[in-house]
Amino acid sequence: MEILGASLRICVDDLEAAIPFYERLTGGRASRFARGDVEVAAVGSFLLMSGPESELEVLRRVAATIAVKDVDEAHRLLDELGARIVAGPLPTPAGRNLLAVHPDGSVFEYVDQRG
């Protein structure tokens, strides 16, 4: 499985107030999208998320988002290594994702940009 990078997930109360800080910090521009009732801004290696507390509570359990070349390949390897797949692979606005619980209890989202 080829890991292309990782994004840190940060839940914020005010997305509009948080974006300028992270844009200046990274020197990049925010790419915005929604996942259900949660508004997301991707800025460099940061995923800023804002929305109802009931949804953010679930999102906070995910340690990081791992970009991979192919989610299906990640799924096979994670399964082989004893991880528990709790969701996916599912289509996303940018590709596909899955959520996996590693044997140590850590939860990660794996994403690709394949359609």
PDB file of all heavy atoms in Angstrom, residues 74-90:
ATOM      1  N   ALA A  74      -5.582  -0.718   0.299  1.00  0.00           N
ATOM      2  CA  ALA A  74      -5.491  -0.459   1.734  1.00  0.00           C
ATOM      3  C   ALA A  74      -6.425  -1.391   2.496  1.00  0.00           C
ATOM      4  O   ALA A  74      -6.049  -1.955   3.532  1.00  0.00           O
ATOM      5  CB  ALA A  74      -5.820   0.997   2.037  1.00  0.00           C
ATOM      6  N   HIS A  75      -7.628  -1.575   1.988  1.00  0.00           N
ATOM      7  CA  HIS A  75      -8.610  -2.444   2.630  1.00  0.00           C
ATOM      8  C   HIS A  75      -8.070  -3.866   2.764  1.00  0.00           C
ATOM      9  O   HIS A  75      -8.139  -4.473   3.839  1.00  0.00           O
ATOM     10  CB  HIS A  75      -9.909  -2.435   1.805  1.00  0.00           C
ATOM     11  CG  HIS A  75     -11.037  -3.184   2.426  1.00  0.00           C
ATOM     12  ND1 HIS A  75     -12.059  -3.704   1.700  1.00  0.00           N
ATOM     13  CD2 HIS A  75     -11.305  -3.506   3.713  1.00  0.00           C
ATOM     14  CE1 HIS A  75     -12.911  -4.311   2.501  1.00  0.00           C
ATOM     15  NE2 HIS A  75     -12.474  -4.208   3.727  1.00  0.00           N
ATOM     16  N   ARG A  76      -7.505  -4.384   1.670  1.00  0.00           N
ATOM     17  CA  ARG A  76      -6.951  -5.753   1.702  1.00  0.00           C
ATOM     18  C   ARG A  76      -5.825  -5.881   2.736  1.00  0.00           C
ATOM     19  O   ARG A  76      -5.797  -6.818   3.527  1.00  0.00           O
ATOM     20  CB  ARG A  76      -6.452  -6.147   0.320  1.00  0.00           C
ATOM     21  CG  ARG A  76      -7.548  -6.493  -0.666  1.00  0.00           C
ATOM     22  CD  ARG A  76      -7.006  -7.085  -1.954  1.00  0.00           C
ATOM     23  NE  ARG A  76      -6.192  -6.144  -2.710  1.00  0.00           N
ATOM     24  CZ  ARG A  76      -6.667  -5.245  -3.568  1.00  0.00           C
ATOM     25  NH1 ARG A  76      -7.970  -5.149  -3.763  1.00  0.00           N
ATOM     26  NH2 ARG A  76      -5.850  -4.436  -4.220  1.00  0.00           N
ATOM     27  N   LEU A  77      -4.897  -4.918   2.729  1.00  0.00           N
ATOM     28  CA  LEU A  77      -3.769  -4.989   3.649  1.00  0.00           C
ATOM     29  C   LEU A  77      -4.215  -4.814   5.100  1.00  0.00           C
ATOM     30  O   LEU A  77      -3.772  -5.556   5.988  1.00  0.00           O
ATOM     31  CB  LEU A  77      -2.715  -3.938   3.290  1.00  0.00           C
ATOM     32  CG  LEU A  77      -1.467  -3.933   4.177  1.00  0.00           C
ATOM     33  CD1 LEU A  77      -0.767  -5.294   4.148  1.00  0.00           C
ATOM     34  CD2 LEU A  77      -0.524  -2.823   3.764  1.00  0.00           C
ATOM     35  N   LEU A  78      -5.081  -3.854   5.352  1.00  0.00           N
ATOM     36  CA  LEU A  78      -5.577  -3.633   6.718  1.00  0.00           C
ATOM     37  C   LEU A  78      -6.271  -4.878   7.240  1.00  0.00           C
ATOM     38  O   LEU A  78      -6.071  -5.284   8.394  1.00  0.00           O
ATOM     39  CB  LEU A  78      -6.513  -2.424   6.755  1.00  0.00           C
ATOM     40  CG  LEU A  78      -5.837  -1.074   6.581  1.00  0.00           C
ATOM     41  CD1 LEU A  78      -6.860  -0.009   6.203  1.00  0.00           C
ATOM     42  CD2 LEU A  78      -5.083  -0.684   7.841  1.00  0.00           C
ATOM     43  N   ASP A  79      -7.089  -5.500   6.400  1.00  0.00           N
ATOM     44  CA  ASP A  79      -7.784  -6.728   6.788  1.00  0.00           C
ATOM     45  C   ASP A  79      -6.777  -7.835   7.103  1.00  0.00           C
ATOM     46  O   ASP A  79      -6.884  -8.526   8.111  1.00  0.00           O
ATOM     47  CB  ASP A  79      -8.726  -7.149   5.661  1.00  0.00           C
ATOM     48  CG  ASP A  79      -9.675  -8.237   6.089  1.00  0.00           C
ATOM     49  OD1 ASP A  79     -10.291  -8.114   7.170  1.00  0.00           O
ATOM     50  OD2 ASP A  79      -9.797  -9.227   5.341  1.00  0.00           O
ATOM     51  N   GLU A  80      -5.778  -7.968   6.246  1.00  0.00           N
ATOM     52  CA  GLU A  80      -4.728  -8.978   6.439  1.00  0.00           C
ATOM     53  C   GLU A  80      -3.971  -8.763   7.747  1.00  0.00           C
ATOM     54  O   GLU A  80      -3.565  -9.717   8.419  1.00  0.00           O
ATOM     55  CB  GLU A  80      -3.766  -8.910   5.254  1.00  0.00           C
ATOM     56  CG  GLU A  80      -2.620  -9.864   5.286  1.00  0.00           C
ATOM     57  CD  GLU A  80      -1.701  -9.650   4.090  1.00  0.00           C
ATOM     58  OE1 GLU A  80      -2.205  -9.612   2.948  1.00  0.00           O
ATOM     59  OE2 GLU A  80      -0.479  -9.501   4.309  1.00  0.00           O
ATOM     60  N   LEU A  81      -3.783  -7.496   8.136  1.00  0.00           N
ATOM     61  CA  LEU A  81      -3.026  -7.171   9.343  1.00  0.00           C
ATOM     62  C   LEU A  81      -3.876  -7.167  10.614  1.00  0.00           C
ATOM     63  O   LEU A  81      -3.381  -6.875  11.696  1.00  0.00           O
ATOM     64  CB  LEU A  81      -2.354  -5.801   9.174  1.00  0.00           C
ATOM     65  CG  LEU A  81      -1.272  -5.739   8.095  1.00  0.00           C
ATOM     66  CD1 LEU A  81      -0.794  -4.301   7.898  1.00  0.00           C
ATOM     67  CD2 LEU A  81      -0.110  -6.645   8.469  1.00  0.00           C
ATOM     68  N   GLY A  82      -5.160  -7.476  10.485  1.00  0.00           N
ATOM     69  CA  GLY A  82      -6.011  -7.585  11.661  1.00  0.00           C
ATOM     70  C   GLY A  82      -6.765  -6.325  12.042  1.00  0.00           C
ATOM     71  O   GLY A  82      -7.354  -6.262  13.120  1.00  0.00           O
ATOM     72  N   ALA A  83      -6.775  -5.318  11.161  1.00  0.00           N
ATOM     73  CA  ALA A  83      -7.575  -4.120  11.433  1.00  0.00           C
ATOM     74  C   ALA A  83      -9.049  -4.446  11.184  1.00  0.00           C
ATOM     75  O   ALA A  83      -9.376  -5.361  10.421  1.00  0.00           O
ATOM     76  CB  ALA A  83      -7.126  -2.960  10.544  1.00  0.00           C
ATOM     77  N   ARG A  84      -9.924  -3.693  11.824  1.00  0.00           N
ATOM     78  CA  ARG A  84     -11.366  -3.870  11.642  1.00  0.00           C
ATOM     79  C   ARG A  84     -11.881  -2.706  10.795  1.00  0.00           C
ATOM     80  O   ARG A  84     -11.742  -1.549  11.178  1.00  0.00           O
ATOM     81  CB  ARG A  84     -12.064  -3.905  13.005  1.00  0.00           C
ATOM     82  CG  ARG A  84     -13.552  -4.175  12.942  1.00  0.00           C
ATOM     83  CD  ARG A  84     -14.140  -4.452  14.315  1.00  0.00           C
ATOM     84  NE  ARG A  84     -13.724  -3.509  15.323  1.00  0.00           N
ATOM     85  CZ  ARG A  84     -14.404  -2.406  15.666  1.00  0.00           C
ATOM     86  NH1 ARG A  84     -15.532  -2.114  15.080  1.00  0.00           N
ATOM     87  NH2 ARG A  84     -13.943  -1.599  16.611  1.00  0.00           N
ATOM     88  N   ILE A  85     -12.457  -3.014   9.657  1.00  0.00           N
ATOM     89  CA  ILE A  85     -13.024  -1.983   8.783  1.00  0.00           C
ATOM     90  C   ILE A  85     -14.432  -1.688   9.296  1.00  0.00           C
ATOM     91  O   ILE A  85     -15.274  -2.582   9.359  1.00  0.00           O
ATOM     92  CB  ILE A  85     -13.073  -2.445   7.310  1.00  0.00           C
ATOM     93  CG1 ILE A  85     -11.711  -2.955   6.849  1.00  0.00           C
ATOM     94  CG2 ILE A  85     -13.610  -1.327   6.423  1.00  0.00           C
ATOM     95  CD1 ILE A  85     -10.565  -1.977   6.991  1.00  0.00           C
ATOM     96  N   VAL A  86     -14.668  -0.444   9.694  1.00  0.00           N
ATOM     97  CA  VAL A  86     -15.974  -0.096  10.267  1.00  0.00           C
ATOM     98  C   VAL A  86     -16.867   0.636   9.279  1.00  0.00           C
ATOM     99  O   VAL A  86     -18.078   0.719   9.497  1.00  0.00           O
ATOM    100  CB  VAL A  86     -15.824   0.722  11.576  1.00  0.00           C
ATOM    101  CG1 VAL A  86     -15.194  -0.129  12.658  1.00  0.00           C
ATOM    102  CG2 VAL A  86     -15.040   1.992  11.368  1.00  0.00           C
ATOM    103  N   ALA A  87     -16.300   1.154   8.183  1.00  0.00           N
ATOM    104  CA  ALA A  87     -17.105   1.795   7.142  1.00  0.00           C
ATOM    105  C   ALA A  87     -16.307   1.826   5.847  1.00  0.00           C
ATOM    106  O   ALA A  87     -15.114   2.096   5.856  1.00  0.00           O
ATOM    107  CB  ALA A  87     -17.475   3.219   7.557  1.00  0.00           C
ATOM    108  N   GLY A  88     -16.991   1.537   4.754  1.00  0.00           N
ATOM    109  CA  GLY A  88     -16.393   1.708   3.446  1.00  0.00           C
ATOM    110  C   GLY A  88     -15.820   0.426   2.873  1.00  0.00           C
ATOM    111  O   GLY A  88     -15.937  -0.636   3.465  1.00  0.00           O
ATOM    112  N   PRO A  89     -15.223   0.613   1.724  1.00  0.00           N
ATOM    113  CA  PRO A  89     -15.005   1.840   0.972  1.00  0.00           C
ATOM    114  C   PRO A  89     -16.325   2.470   0.492  1.00  0.00           C
ATOM    115  O   PRO A  89     -17.228   1.770   0.062  1.00  0.00           O
ATOM    116  CB  PRO A  89     -14.175   1.410  -0.223  1.00  0.00           C
ATOM    117  CG  PRO A  89     -13.585   0.080   0.132  1.00  0.00           C
ATOM    118  CD  PRO A  89     -14.564  -0.534   1.086  1.00  0.00           C
ATOM    119  N   LEU A  90     -16.363   3.797   0.603  1.00  0.00           N
ATOM    120  CA  LEU A  90     -17.527   4.583   0.208  1.00  0.00           C
ATOM    121  C   LEU A  90     -17.088   5.736  -0.687  1.00  0.00           C
ATOM    122  O   LEU A  90     -15.989   6.267  -0.522  1.00  0.00           O
ATOM    123  CB  LEU A  90     -18.221   5.165   1.450  1.00  0.00           C
ATOM    124  CG  LEU A  90     -18.785   4.169   2.460  1.00  0.00           C
ATOM    125  CD1 LEU A  90     -19.206   4.886   3.733  1.00  0.00           C
ATOM    126  CD2 LEU A  90     -19.976   3.443   1.848  1.00  0.00           C
TER     127      LEU A  90
END
